[in-house]
Amino acid sequence: MPGRWITSTNIVDETLDDGAQTKTYNLSKSNFLSDVMLRIRATNGATSNLTTTIDGQTSKIEVLAQSSTLKSYTGIECLRLARFALGVWPSGDETQLPAGVQHQEFPILFCRGVGDEAAMLAAKLLKSLQLKVTVDISISATAGYATTTGRIQIVEREWVSDDPPLSKFILKETEVETYTSLASGDKDFDIPLGQTVRRIMLQAYEAAIEDGTDVTHVKVGFNNFTETPIDARWDMLQAQNKQDFRLDDFVKAVLIMGEDADTYASRVSRIKAAFAQARTAVSVYTITAVAGDTITIGYSDLATPTALTTDAPCNIQVVSATGNPFCVMLDFDPGGNFMQGIPTALLDSMKVRITNGGAGAAVALVMQELLSLA
């Protein structure tokens, strides 16, 4: 019988605890596991939620197969990886409005993309397979969520077939380094040896600082840099990623609560267009300044006219000139066919070197390795 895809629900709207927590869920071990869709949602406090988002509060997503960790990254890292793999930013809704419902979908991918029959997890060979989620449903009337409104859903997509399990590749993705950038100088990161490295995602973010400022150059070296497969400026790597992964301009729309001269850190870089729109007929919002990802808004009453100093709803949309803000993908398998990649077991060393251009950026490396049960 030919193989077929099935999509099944593992968890439906389970209530999360209030506050910080780590939840563990058993995943299906019946077939080949292609991907898992994790959805987290919560309802804002009665006045607003000016500081917390679902992706920002999801600090760790892990998949554990028996004693091995196959996935380990933050919520934002999960979304960035999915943008590179799928070409779109995963579904979600960020809002600061009173009693507004925020949600975010996190695709946990064992595949290169939808319908991939070559890369998937042979879950039916495992004795245990678990998803661990660390999230903070912080409770506050003005800067968090309403009590007992956190919910989680888990949906799994599986490939049902008689394919030999040893014929499948496994994509392991783990955060291997974190660092805070300095004002100048180089920083080397040692890449663990042993498996085939397919990609490395490098991130650098500091609020109100433009993309490519705190980290300006990236270099990959083998055997003490006697060979350098990648040696390029950060901004050129981003431009190449946008082309190679066929990414459109990154666009973000959000509902905020703001007053005149308020700021909003959008996590969108190289902003080439920004729009603000009031939700009341007699008021107007404007964008008065942009610094890195941070937008300053002006808020006025048309009838008076005068600046308004009470928070009110505002629609904001920002458009980036880059495809995946504040990160670059170091791609060692540009053909996407598993024929390339770096067999690190044959190396004495593998390093990623960044050039610091400014102090204060949160830097992280997520490594994608290609595993096989054969």
Side-chain angles (χ1 to χ4, degrees), residues 182-198:
L182 302 177
S184 61
D186 290 339
K187 168 66 176 179
D188 286 354
F189 300 98
D190 290 309
I191 301 303
L193 304 180
Q195 302 294 340
T196 296
V197 175
R198 184 168 182 256

Side-chain angles (χ1 to χ4, degrees), residues 218-236:
V218 181
K219 188 174 184 178
V220 177
F222 302 153
N223 302 332
N224 294 319
F225 291 93
T226 56
E227 184 180 348
T228 54
I230 295 176
D231 186 0
R233 287 186 58 83
W234 180 278
D235 57 354
M236 290 304 294

Side-chain angles (χ1 to χ4, degrees), residues 75-93:
I76 292 174
E77 289 169 345
C78 178
L79 299 178
R80 287 173 172 158
L81 288 167
R83 170 75 166 166
F84 282 120
L86 304 175
V88 296
W89 192 259
S91 176
D93 189 1

Side-chain angles (χ1 to χ4, degrees), residues 14-56:
E14 179 177 299
T15 301
L16 293 170
D17 300 329
D18 293 340
Q21 61 207 281
T22 298
K23 296 290 189 179
T24 302
Y25 304 94
N26 292 320
L27 298 177
S28 171
K29 304 191 304 296
S30 301
N31 302 292
F32 293 99
L33 184 59
S34 175
D35 57 275
V36 177
M37 181 67 81
L38 166 68
R39 186 180 203 246
I40 299 174
R41 82 172 195 270
T43 302
N44 290 342
T47 303
S48 62
N49 183 349
L50 300 181
T51 60
T52 62
T53 61
I54 298 295
D55 56 1

